[in-house]
Amino acid sequence: MVPNGWTLKHLSELSNKISDGIHSTPKYVESSDIYFVNGNNLKNGSIVITDSTKKVCVDDAEKHRRELNEKTILMSINGTIGNLAYYNGENVVLGKSACYINVADGTDTDYLYYTLEDSKTQAFYTSELTGSTIKNLSLKTIKATKILTPPLPEQRKIAKILSTWDKAISTTERLIDNSKQQKKALMQQLLTGAHTQRKRLLDDSGKPFDGEWEEVKLGDVCSKVTDGAHHSPKSVEGGYPMFSVKDMRATGFAENTARHISQDDFKALVKQNCKPEINDILIAKDGSILKYCFVVQEDIQGVILSSIALLRPQLNKISPYFIAQYFSQESVRFFVGKALTSGSGVPRIILKDFKGIHLRIPSLFEQQRIAKVLANADQEIESLEQQLADLKQEKKALMQQLLTGKRRVKI
């Protein structure tokens, strides 16, 4: 149903021209300042240039210029579909996996951008894809996109409202990036800095902790370094979850993605020590190595597969949360990924290599203080990420109301 005062138009009626980029391969040169961009360069409203983005010969580029202007919207149409970006005068040549939409006068560019971004439009594009291996979106389909079109003043007001949500989303994303950088710096100061550079926290008396850190092997401070089941019982409806790396998240398991096994198989695997206990540390050791590492904080009525390593720390020697923070460092992940992985197909870490990892630890009390400070930083990041998710969901709901005319704006 078309709202009162609105019209239903095709995208071609709201544009001066819709076309894709060049289908030939231009000449690449390092000395040029003209970039050859494709659909994978379009992200979150901007053209993203990376180190791998090729540059085009100036003379050759002149033959391939496209009619881009200040009212141009770019969209990916090959491989990854529907990524959008504004054209802001960048010195680029457009490849065939992207198209450009030159918005006509009388149509607000931002309003059209939001309509193309809307989940309803994106779902239409998904339904119209062709190609078995690499998906394609045809220019014919793009031109035929149906756009509910209010009068220009109403378009501008709708776009202005949605832009305020984009600004809030962008601000929150920057806060998350800043918080992650701050935590990274804090980890370097508290966990891995040289003795003369290491930041020491305050003890209960208000004085900095002192004393040398001790070098230990992981196997010497854990009563158990093992993994989960090396065989996979038959799946059943209901039953008990059997977790693998794919079910791991930042702080626990996603039970809705796990397959389930029978009670008899569950009991048998419990006897084989495949059921984690509270304060155990679980680490992704096969495939997505060290992508996830968390401490079990509550009873888990499930078992794990061998793709997950289980460390059971000696609590009188080492804090499980300290170890978890230690393994979350980029430098540690890089070292383990390069030095300790094996396997030609799925990369994995052998348990004896886990046991042999050396790390330096302070007193148990200082470990606990360090872990708490870093956990507080994690909570701040998690809170911001939840805010971001909420903002995106609220914007999506608002778009569905404003772009369909179910909620009208006052001009």
Side-chain angles (χ1 to χ4, degrees), residues 195-239:
H195 175 70
T196 55
Q197 301 172 331
R198 188 181 295 132
K199 181 178 180 179
R200 305 296 288 265
L201 299 175
L202 303 181
D203 60 21
D204 285 343
S205 67
K207 297 179 180 179
F209 283 99
D210 56 11
E212 293 296 320
W213 286 33
E214 178 186 4
E215 183 171 322
V216 298
K217 285 198 300 185
L218 192 59
D220 293 338
V221 292
C222 292
S223 60
K224 189 181 291 294
V225 177
T226 185
D227 54 11
H230 285 249
H231 72 283
S232 187
K234 183 175 69 175
S235 297
V236 301
E237 293 292 329

Side-chain angles (χ1 to χ4, degrees), residues 58-75:
V58 175
D59 293 336
D60 199 32
E62 290 301 323
K63 296 185 294 185
H64 300 304
R65 293 289 189 187
R66 285 295 187 260
E67 301 164 359
L68 311 182
N69 58 53
E70 69 277 1
K71 295 197 70 176
T72 295
I73 298 172
L74 306 175
M75 183 166 68

Side-chain angles (χ1 to χ4, degrees), residues 243-249 283-286 288 292 307-308:
F243 299 110
S244 66
V245 168
K246 71 175 178 59
D247 308 308
M248 298 182 79
R249 300 295 183 266
I283 305 176
K285 79 170 186 69
D286 294 355
S288 303
Y292 299 107
S307 59
I308 301 174

Side-chain angles (χ1 to χ4, degrees), residues 85-136:
Y86 290 99
Y87 176 70
N88 292 310
E90 293 90 347
N91 203 3
V92 298
V93 170
L94 201 63
K96 66 179 180 179
S97 67
C99 78
Y100 63 95
I101 301 160
N102 289 344
V103 182
D105 292 339
T107 301
D108 185 76
T109 305
D110 292 332
Y111 176 82
L112 198 55
Y113 181 98
Y114 285 121
T115 305
L116 295 174
E117 182 187 47
D118 185 55
S119 58
K120 185 177 180 181
T121 307
Q122 293 286 319
F124 166 67
Y125 288 154
T126 300
S127 70
E128 295 293 315
L129 296 178
T130 60
S132 56
T133 305
I134 300 176
K135 299 298 182 182
N136 298 281

Side-chain angles (χ1 to χ4, degrees), residues 368-386:
Q368 293 167 342
R369 280 290 175 87
I370 291 172
K372 185 176 181 179
V373 168
L374 296 176
N376 289 339
D378 285 333
Q379 289 174 2
E380 179 183 348
I381 293 169
E382 289 169 13
S383 176
L384 288 169
E385 288 176 336
Q386 184 58 55

